[in-house]
Amino acid sequence: MIELNTVTFAYPVGDEVLSGVSLTVEKGGLLGLAGANGSGKSTLLSLMAGLFAPSRGSLEVAGRVSPGHEGDIRNVCRLVMQDADLQILGATVEEDLLLGRARGQAATAEARTMAERFNLLKYWDSPVQTLSWGTKRKLCLTAALLDRPRVLLLDEPFSGLDYPGVREMRALIRANREAGLTQVVSSHDLESFIDLVDGLAVLDNGRLVLNGPAESVLDHVAEHSVRAPGSWTACRTIVPWDEGEPR
Ligand code: ADP
């Protein structure tokens, strides 16, 4: 569903921030993308979302190729950014979820059903600036899913969330997976999601230093002391979350 071939990228000003990154994500798969702050995770997700084109190399998302077809990629792929304030455009939950959609009872009913699934219905008429950080994040996720993407990219979905918020976000990611959605989730906090992912890719200074099944990648991190997210030591010892138990 997603294939990157030696993707290299530099912003118009500055050095290369991604160098020769190659990876694949199978249809319905869930890839964890880890790396320290500044390692290139957000940039890589932006490329996968068709927001930028690679400077060199190429990528393919659901059969759409970049460079060349970024607009087509944007039709099938949604990126939920780390900072929800950059993505919320409506003044209320209702307005944000209906923005850019056909008006009418069917669209409203669909948005309300999705909002209910995400526990957002109680905020339906609320001004968005009154919502918590976690609720804004869920609003962005709801809006993204209403677009029925084939690929969902989540940039640091757990950051700034409290424990119930992390649990809820994990449940939503799990439900997406059960629905067959292909997902890439970036995080510097491996503890929150390591037991959910099929594969784990680790970026270090724009290079893909590790990539494979999560458990073997973690073993490798331990063996080679690769510079990796600060929490990796902790996640070596963590017992996978039981959804029913407090951590
Ligand atoms: P991460 O998501 O892992 O924190 P980013 O992709 O945000 O990493 O950043 C990777 C590198 O790209 C950093 O050095 C960052 O300063 C740089 N960068 C990010 N956005 C821009 C931009 N718009 N223009 C120039 N450099 C940028």
Side-chain angles (χ1 to χ4, degrees):
M1 182 60 86
I2 304 175
E3 187 167 340
L4 273 65
N5 292 307
T6 56
V7 165
T8 295
F9 181 78
Y11 286 99
V13 177
D15 299 332
E16 258 175 33
V17 296
L18 292 171
S19 306
V21 176
S22 298
L23 57 82
T24 56
V25 186
E26 299 299 322
K27 187 166 185 273
L30 172 45
L31 176 73
L33 186 58
N37 284 336
S39 58
K41 303 183 296 297
S42 300
T43 305
L44 193 60
L45 290 177
S46 299
L47 287 160
M48 289 179 185
L51 302 184
F52 315 129
S55 314
R56 291 198 305 282
S58 65
L59 61 99
E60 195 173 320
V61 178
R64 284 101 174 138
V65 176
S66 172
H69 298 275
E70 290 74 31
D72 295 335
I73 291 178
R74 291 196 293 273
N75 284 336
V76 292
C77 186
R78 285 289 169 272
L79 169 63
V80 178
M81 295 173 176
Q82 185 175 357
D83 185 352
D85 287 332
L86 296 176
Q87 263 185 319
I88 295 175
L89 299 174
T92 63
V93 168
E94 175 186 18
E95 200 178 301
D96 194 66
L97 291 181
L98 294 178
L99 213 69
R101 296 180 210 288
R103 293 277 151 187
Q105 280 182 348
T108 304
E110 190 186 11
R112 286 184 69 89
T113 303
M114 190 72 88
E116 189 167 20
R117 195 182 134 201
F118 286 70
N119 279 324
L120 286 175
L121 210 46
K122 55 185 173 236
Y123 304 117
W124 188 249
D125 300 315
S126 301
V128 290
Q129 64 269 25
T130 63
L131 304 178
S132 71
W133 180 252
T135 305
K136 285 182 183 174
R137 190 74 64 68
K138 282 197 299 177
L139 176 57
C140 292
L141 187 50
T142 308
L145 290 176
L146 273 172
D147 290 333
R148 300 181 192 281
R150 293 174 65 183
V151 172
L152 182 69
L153 309 170
L154 301 176
D155 196 0
E156 297 277 358
F158 307 107
S159 73
L161 298 187
D162 58 8
Y163 170 67
V166 171
R167 268 184 59 173
E168 197 175 9
M169 186 58 71
R170 283 171 49 84
L172 296 173
I173 292 170
R174 201 190 292 259
N176 290 338
R177 181 200 171 102
E178 279 161 15
L181 191 59
T182 306
Q183 300 178 92
V184 182
V185 178
S186 87
S187 182
H188 67 278
D189 170 23
L190 287 180
E191 291 168 53
S192 297
F193 77 141
I194 191 67
D195 57 312
L196 289 181
V197 301
D198 302 313
L200 184 65
V202 180
L203 282 176
D204 184 5
N205 205 14
R207 291 184 183 278
L208 189 65
V209 288
L210 293 169
N211 184 22
E215 195 47 47
S216 64
V217 167
L218 289 178
D219 283 345
H220 229 64
V221 168
E223 278 168 29
H224 297 289
S225 302
V226 170
R227 189 159 68 83
S231 59
W232 75 264
T233 313
C235 76
R236 294 285 309 154
T237 53
I238 202 158
V239 178
W241 291 44
D242 180 325
E243 294 300 319
E245 293 293 323
R247 203 154 52 138

